[in-house]
Amino acid sequence: MTLNFNQLWRYQDDFLHGIQMTLTLTLIATVAGMLIGLLGALLSNNRLPAVRLLIRSYVEVIRNTPALIQIFLIFFVLPYAGLRLPPFEAAAVALSIYMGAYSVEIFRSGLASIPRSQIEAGQCLGLTRFQVFRHVILLPALRNIYPSLTSQIILILLGSSLASQVSAEELFHTAAFVESRTYRSFEVYAVVCAIYFVMVLSLRLIFAGAERIAFRWPTRR
Amino acid sequence: MSFVDIKNVRKSFANVEVLKGVTINVEKGEIVTIIGRSGSGKSTLLRCINGLESIDDGEIRINGEVVHDKATDLRRLREKVGIVFQQFNLFPHMTVEQNITLAPTLTKRVAKGEAARKLAHEVLSRVGLEQKIDAYPEQLSGGQQQRVAIARCLAMGPELMLFDEVTSALDPELVGEVLKVMEDLARQGMTMILVTHEMNFARNVASKIVFMHAGKVHEQGAPAALFANPATPELRNFISSTH
Ligand SMILES: Nc1ncnc2c1ncn2[C@@H]1O[C@H](COP(=O)(O)OP(=O)(O)OP(=O)(O)O)[C@@H](O)[C@H]1O
Ligand SMILES: [Mg+2]
């Protein structure tokens, strides 16, 4: 077997497009998922049992079923309910819901990691509930969940390749497309694998840098 | 009516009654020290005074205002009532200056920037820590952290300060610096209610001592008289156990 990467150069633009869409998908799922997660975490000790049950069910259903099936459900089944989404949009929605469920758990553990005494100290200084959340809880909680949250974002980036299964345009979809044109399976998947690797590595570096900037305060030894 | 008027306060957790009808009066400028065995309800009482805990019966008034009335603006009330805890409870992600100026700037007592820093500087000078204005809590000793916590309270301009065993978590050699700050406050006329195991401090600084036992005020009076002639065996035992 001889390796031949030359043919792949012609598809440079397709790869770039794939990378761009994968990153877009990851960004959408991350932002939307984190918003869902934050909201869900704040509501998960709500007074109303119905609200708590709703959030619990959401988290358990999503975390205990394959992401691929969730994408299929959104893409193939929602149309029967009258909501037809294009592949990319369907994948974005599904991944956001998926990221949301994990984020609820992550944010919940973050909120729980802040001692009651910190919240009381804020209350005793005459802060509102929102001010306590915003100024006392948020940053230390984010710091505590930063490792799990960033790992989850990376899992979403890697998992976004599942979107190719409903023909959403993203990097893995590009790979399949180029392979079908060139029949150079090994070369194509080696290149795509390397691209994922570099993307994840860069993301990790960015996360590490952001951590240094956002969380400067010294912690207990 | 007294400045702080605690009348017949009852408080239960689940089925356990912790405060069984507590009545205490505190006049403006008074230093009232609450002593008593562990579990006698001292912390619970302090937490009721600033509305951190609800009460089941009775009434607490501060400057005439009923603390547990639904119509009372607890946040506004708390700006007038500072509380310092055993564990300092400074915000770890903020510098000393930010810890001190957070509440005053959020509640619009002082503008951000220069004015806020000036306020921080001023209250820090009252606890002798101006040079630590840019430090983080983790970079300070326990005694220094507790003094910052006191300064943070002072920045709100409180009319009443509550102290819950503020020296109990400190290494012995750091207790003195915190007690000195409290003594200074007392001398400046601050109204204070404090729970402490520092009997010498209670003896020398308090205007009144309240001995709590089993959820009630068992005995109270001026320090000299109370320590010299405890009327009940419980207080006698307590005093001898603290030596
Ligand atoms: N949030 C709570 N839930 C249930 N029980 C509580 C709660 N807070 C306090 N208690 C109980 O109330 C009783 C009085 O507690 P409190 O902390 O007021 O005592 P204390 O006099 O401050 O004791 P110490 O000297 O140890 O600080 C204790 O038996 C305690 O277990
Ligand atoms: Mg206590």
Side-chain angles (χ1 to χ4, degrees), chain B residues 42-44 86 164-165 195:
Chain B
K42 307 178 300 291
S43 298
T44 305
Q86 184 173 339
D164 191 1
E165 299 196 31
V195 174

Side-chain angles (χ1 to χ4, degrees), chain B residues 13 18 36-45 53 164-165 197:
Chain B
F13 289 111
V18 175
R37 277 191 205 295
S38 180
S40 56
K42 307 178 300 291
S43 298
T44 305
L45 179 63
E53 299 284 357
D164 191 1
E165 299 196 31
H197 289 302

Side-chain angles (χ1 to χ4, degrees), chain B residues 3-236:
Chain B
F3 182 58
V4 182
D5 198 352
I6 302 168
K7 214 160 44 189
N8 227 345
V9 168
R10 290 176 174 273
K11 166 79 185 168
S12 304
F13 289 111
N15 287 328
V16 185
E17 194 167 39
V18 175
L19 300 179
K20 303 174 180 170
V22 174
T23 301
I24 300 173
N25 295 310
V26 182
E27 304 303 330
K28 198 128 200 163
E30 248 194 322
I31 317 295
V32 172
T33 297
I34 302 175
I35 58 174
R37 277 191 205 295
S38 180
S40 56
K42 307 178 300 291
S43 298
T44 305
L45 179 63
L46 281 197
R47 292 165 59 83
C48 288
I49 294 175
N50 82 341
L52 267 183
E53 299 284 357
S54 62
I55 61 176
D56 301 324
D57 197 15
E59 189 178 78
I60 300 176
R61 282 173 185 266
I62 298 176
N63 210 0
E65 203 166 358
V66 181
V67 175
H68 295 89
D69 191 344
K70 277 199 174 58
T72 299
D73 183 351
L74 259 190
R75 278 190 286 116
R76 224 202 57 257
L77 186 79
R78 283 174 178 153
E79 290 172 28
K80 298 279 148 230
V81 182
I83 183 163
V84 185
F85 302 94
Q86 184 173 339
Q87 295 298 341
F88 332 135
N89 297 349
L90 293 177
F91 304 131
H93 57 302
M94 297 183 192
T95 64
V96 166
E97 177 185 353
Q98 291 165 336
N99 261 281
I100 292 171
T101 58
L102 176 72
T105 51
L106 284 179
T107 55
K108 303 282 184 325
R109 224 173 76 79
V110 58
K112 277 188 179 156
E114 268 313 298
R117 190 165 172 92
K118 194 160 152 273
L119 173 67
H121 206 273
E122 179 194 312
V123 290
L124 281 173
S125 73
R126 290 173 69 182
V127 300
L129 283 176
E130 307 96 303
Q131 76 283 7
K132 296 292 185 189
I133 191 164
D134 292 318
Y136 282 97
E138 274 304 307
Q139 299 164 330
L140 303 176
S141 73
Q144 291 171 333
Q145 288 190 51
Q146 195 56 294
R147 282 147 70 196
V148 170
I150 293 173
R152 184 170 71 174
C153 265
L154 289 175
M156 302 297 288
E159 293 172 13
L160 167 67
M161 287 183 80
L162 312 172
F163 295 85
D164 191 1
E165 299 196 31
V166 295
T167 56
S168 298
L170 300 177
D171 293 337
E173 71 271 20
L174 301 177
V175 168
E177 62 187 64
V178 174
L179 291 182
K180 183 181 166 301
V181 166
M182 292 166 69
E183 251 178 81
D184 289 344
L185 283 176
R187 209 171 303 118
Q188 290 156 17
M190 179 66 74
T191 311
M192 308 186 347
I193 304 177
L194 49 101
V195 174
T196 186
H197 289 302
E198 297 291 329
M199 288 306 142
N200 278 328
F201 182 79
R203 211 185 296 257
N204 297 331
V205 179
S207 40
K208 180 162 82 186
I209 291 193
V210 173
F211 172 58
M212 283 191 59
H213 182 73
K216 280 188 167 160
V217 175
H218 206 66
E219 229 179 290
Q220 60 177 311
L226 205 76
F227 281 115
N229 297 308
T232 61
E234 287 80 10
L235 179 55
R236 218 171 301 139

Side-chain angles (χ1 to χ4, degrees), chain A residues 52-65:
Chain A
R52 296 200 302 267
L53 183 70
L54 189 75
I55 291 167
R56 234 18 281 148
S57 317
Y58 162 58
V59 170
E60 293 308 330
V61 167
I62 299 297
R63 291 200 317 161
N64 295 307
T65 54

Side-chain angles (χ1 to χ4, degrees), chain A residues 37 58-59 62-65 97-107 152:
Chain A
Y58 162 58
V59 170
I62 299 297
R63 291 200 317 161
N64 295 307
T65 54
I97 293 173
Y98 180 77
M99 174 72 182
Y102 283 87
S103 301
V104 169
E105 289 302 90
I106 294 173
F107 279 106
Q152 188 58 44

